[in-house]
């Protein structure tokens, strides 16, 4: 009986060892699955963070594009204002030119007038005999 009890105890111990090995194997598999799940969760978190970073970068790029467009529009408006000012200046200059004789022709006319006046004076110069007062001129002076 003692022998049978010992055999039964030995069989039960072997059964318990087998169950323990199976439990250890199951625990190892569960541990591996847990590690894989953690790695997948970490990869998913990295992927989510990358998508968030891409979305933030896209938002920043869009904001910068809007600012560039606003600045370009401002520069375009400033350029238009300068062009308008230049056009107004050109129009004013053209109006002045149409109202006045150009400087070259004024200078030319002035030279012609001076030359003809000088010739006129030279042609009307009195000869030395003309300078002697006539009786009428002497009477008028007195």
């Amino acid at each position: 009986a003692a022998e049978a009890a010992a055999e039964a105890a030995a069989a039960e111990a072997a059964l318990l060892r087998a169950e323990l090995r199976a439990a250890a194997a199951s625990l190892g598999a569960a541990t591996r699955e847990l590690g894989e799940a953690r790695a997948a969760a970490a990869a998913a978190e990295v992927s989510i963070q990358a998508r968030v970073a891409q979305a933030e970068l896209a938002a920043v790029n869009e904001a910068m594009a809007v600012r560039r467009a606003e600045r370009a529009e401002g520069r375009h408006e400033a350029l238009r204002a300068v062009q308008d000012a230049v056009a107004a200046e050109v129009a004013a200059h053209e109006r002045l030119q149409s109202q006045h004789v150009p400087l070259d022709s004024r200078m030319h006319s002035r030279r012609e007038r001076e030359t003809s006046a000088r010739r006129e004076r030279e042609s009307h110069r009195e000869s030395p005999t003309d300078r002697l007062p006539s009786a009428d001129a002497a009477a008028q002076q007195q």
Side-chain angles (χ1 to χ4, degrees), residues 97 100-108:
Q97 278 188 331
H100 297 290
V101 178
L103 182 60
D104 287 345
S105 65
R106 281 187 295 185
M107 292 298 289
H108 184 65

Side-chain angles (χ1 to χ4, degrees), residues 68-128:
R68 280 193 302 271
E70 288 170 349
R71 282 194 307 269
E73 184 177 333
R75 285 192 301 268
H76 190 257
E77 288 173 6
L79 178 60
R80 268 185 272 151
V82 167
Q83 287 172 336
D84 291 347
V86 167
E89 195 69 30
V90 167
H93 182 70
E94 287 173 352
R95 278 193 307 276
L96 283 174
Q97 278 188 331
S98 69
Q99 292 171 359
H100 297 290
V101 178
L103 182 60
D104 287 345
S105 65
R106 281 187 295 185
M107 292 298 289
H108 184 65
S109 297
R110 185 173 141 205
R111 281 192 214 114
E112 284 179 352
R113 284 193 310 271
E114 289 172 353
T115 302
S116 65
R118 187 175 61 246
R119 286 183 186 149
E120 185 79 17
R121 284 191 308 270
E122 289 172 356
S123 70
H124 284 85
R125 274 199 185 142
E126 300 173 5
S127 66

Side-chain angles (χ1 to χ4, degrees), residues 50-63:
R51 279 187 249 144
V52 166
Q54 285 175 340
E56 289 172 346
L57 180 61
V60 167
N61 285 339
E62 185 175 339

Side-chain angles (χ1 to χ4, degrees), residues 30-70:
T31 302
R32 277 190 303 280
E33 287 177 12
L34 179 60
E36 290 169 2
R38 284 184 178 155
E45 177 68 22
V46 168
S47 175
I48 290 168
Q49 288 175 351
R51 279 187 249 144
V52 166
Q54 285 175 340
E56 289 172 346
L57 180 61
V60 167
N61 285 339
E62 185 175 339
M64 288 173 58
V66 167
R67 285 191 205 110
R68 280 193 302 271
E70 288 170 349

